[in-house]
Amino acid sequence: MQYRPLGRSQIKVSALCLGSMTWGEQNTQTDAFAQIDRARDAGVNFIDTAEMYPVPPRAETYTATEAIIGNYFRERGTRDKWILATKVAGPSRDMKHIRNGRTRFTRDHITSALDASLKRLNTDYIDLYQLHWPDRNTNYFGALGYRHDPDEHFTPIEDTLEVLDDLVKAGKIREIGLSNETPWGVCRFLHLAATHGWPRIASIQNPYNLLNRSYEVGLAEISMREQVGLLAYSPLAFGVLTGKYLNGLRPEKGRLTLFSRFSRYSNPEAQAACARYVQLAREHGMDPAQMALAFVTRQPFVTSNIIGATNMDQLNRNLSSVNMGLPDIVLEAIAAIHRSQPNPAP
């Protein structure tokens, strides 16, 4: 396993991070425990979760994932072996079950969310506390094009950083990060932190995969020049890049089969590009999922690649991708596909 610095901090995280958003929905606690044990055996030291998990978010399952991880730490007593990341939910019209809709990034809301997460996770501190999506309206979660609303009211970033600074000083948080952010948002957080001496963001958790390389357009340079690396989520595009959904296939327990809301990577352009990537992998004797994961992990702006699985076979194949090299001929072919079909599922 490779280990990489988390931003400019003293923390080193594994190049693969264990994602958890299926635990409590598609996976039981027993499944989750087995996945954590297996990942640890493979050298993974990094778990990512969120207060709103599992996904899709529902009132009936809200907080289940953090509770499962907390139960694991309680039973195994291995909290100190892990770098633990979680997230505070941002504003949403659809998730009134989260603190009765009180999900702005203000002092009261963040403090309440963090204290509840600490209790569920059975820990005194979070290694990386992330803002799950911006407090303001902007183009995230696949939205293309920014539409400005001059009358919008959102929590000033200054207010958010000030409370996070207090929570870091209190020892409840070691590092802070962003998620689903834009270049403007990242630069603003960095500028205010430098100006006021507040905590500097250590990472950005955004989508990145062969079908969505939009991160490279504006954020990759920030990652490299500012040492704020990407924690890449959806590296397999909800499993689409495995090839299991090609030609209209819908495996019984597949995520896209179970949840129709995850259609972001299923448009005709994305399916066509996916078919080419899958064919490329097979022509070179590679597992398509492993090729897709290896491409993400090798990027210099990626700190850690967040892998998820619903069964042990998937997890084992995903873990094996960390040692997989991609020959030049494959990289050149990937580049050619991307040039002809760039970002079909942003």
Side-chain angles (χ1 to χ4, degrees):
M1 182 58 63
Q2 308 163 31
Y3 299 91
R4 300 168 179 176
L6 182 66
R8 294 181 180 176
S9 75
Q10 299 302 307
I11 298 173
K12 287 197 172 182
V13 297
S14 47
L16 297 182
C17 173
L18 184 60
S20 63
M21 73 177 186
T22 62
W23 303 349
E25 179 66 63
Q26 290 173 265
N27 289 110
T28 65
Q29 177 168 290
T30 299
D31 295 336
F33 279 24
Q35 288 189 22
I36 298 171
D37 287 339
R38 176 66 189 93
R40 186 62 196 174
D41 289 343
V44 174
N45 73 345
F46 195 15
I47 295 180
D48 178 73
T49 190
E51 65 163 332
M52 63 164 266
Y53 287 177
V55 173
R58 298 187 293 124
E60 296 81 1
T61 58
Y62 169 55
T63 73
T65 307
E66 284 191 334
I68 287 172
I69 296 171
N71 291 340
Y72 180 90
F73 290 149
R74 185 176 293 108
E75 290 193 19
R76 298 289 203 272
T78 55
R79 169 66 183 94
D80 62 329
K81 304 295 184 184
W82 290 95
I83 304 302
L84 176 62
T86 193
K87 313 178 198 75
V88 52
S92 173
R93 297 176 181 175
D94 303 323
M95 289 186 282
K96 299 299 183 184
H97 59 276
I98 302 181
R99 294 185 301 285
N100 296 316
R102 299 174 69 248
T103 54
R104 307 309 297 239
F105 293 150
T106 62
R107 178 172 297 276
D108 289 347
H109 297 185
I110 290 177
T111 302
S112 174
L114 175 61
D115 287 344
S117 286
L118 289 170
K119 184 175 181 180
R120 286 190 293 269
L121 289 162
N122 192 38
T123 185
D124 296 326
Y125 66 97
I126 303 298
D127 295 290
L128 177 66
Y129 199 55
Q130 304 158 101
L131 307 179
H132 206 152
W133 58 88
D135 191 294
R136 66 195 190 279
N137 291 321
T138 188
N139 49 319
Y140 53 85
F141 290 141
L144 287 177
Y146 170 66
R147 300 292 182 267
H148 187 65
D149 177 3
D151 298 320
E152 179 190 11
H153 296 283
F154 60 89
T155 307
I157 292 174
E158 292 90 333
D159 292 359
T160 300
L161 276 172
E162 188 171 29
V163 64
L164 291 172
D165 179 48
D166 289 342
L167 294 169
V168 169
K169 289 176 178 175
K172 294 183 178 183
I173 299 170
R174 294 179 69 191
E175 300 293 334
I176 65 170
L178 303 176
S179 184
N180 297 295
E181 257 298 358
T182 67
W184 181 87
V186 174
C187 289
R188 189 65 181 159
F189 271 90
L190 288 171
H191 170 73
L192 290 171
T195 301
H196 296 277
W198 290 328
R200 191 178 197 276
I201 59 168
S203 59
I204 314 164
Q205 185 174 150
N206 276 27
Y208 183 71
N209 55 62
L210 287 172
L211 300 179
N212 178 6
R213 294 169 57 179
S214 57
Y215 192 89
E216 297 174 7
V217 177
L219 284 164
E221 183 179 11
I222 297 174
S223 284
M224 297 302 298
R225 295 189 185 279
E226 298 292 340
Q227 295 85 56
V228 181
L230 172 64
L231 306 182
Y233 79 76
S234 291
L236 292 178
F238 292 141
V240 167
L241 285 165
T242 67
K244 65 183 178 182
Y245 296 112
L246 287 178
N247 302 313
L249 292 176
R250 286 296 181 266
E252 182 180 357
K253 296 183 179 180
R255 194 162 189 78
L256 300 187
T257 306
L258 295 172
F259 309 112
S260 59
R261 63 181 286 162
F262 298 118
S263 59
R264 180 172 171 181
Y265 298 102
S266 300
N267 66 70
E269 293 79 11
Q271 287 292 297
C274 177
R276 296 176 67 184
Y277 287 121
V278 169
Q279 180 182 0
L280 171 65
R282 291 173 176 164
E283 285 176 352
H284 290 272
M286 297 178 176
D287 177 275
Q290 291 183 324
M291 183 190 80
L293 291 173
F295 177 81
V296 172
T297 306
R298 75 187 305 276
Q299 300 305 318
F301 51 82
V302 170
T303 294
S304 194
N305 185 358
I306 304 174
I307 59 171
T310 54
N311 62 62
M312 199 58 71
D313 177 62
Q314 291 174 351
L315 181 60
N316 284 327
R317 285 187 288 127
N318 292 351
L319 290 168
S320 297
S321 72
V322 76
N323 297 315
M324 183 176 179
L326 296 180
D328 288 343
I329 190 171
V330 171
L331 292 172
E332 290 166 3
I334 288 174
I337 295 171
H338 180 63
R339 282 194 298 272
S340 64
Q341 292 180 284
N343 300 322

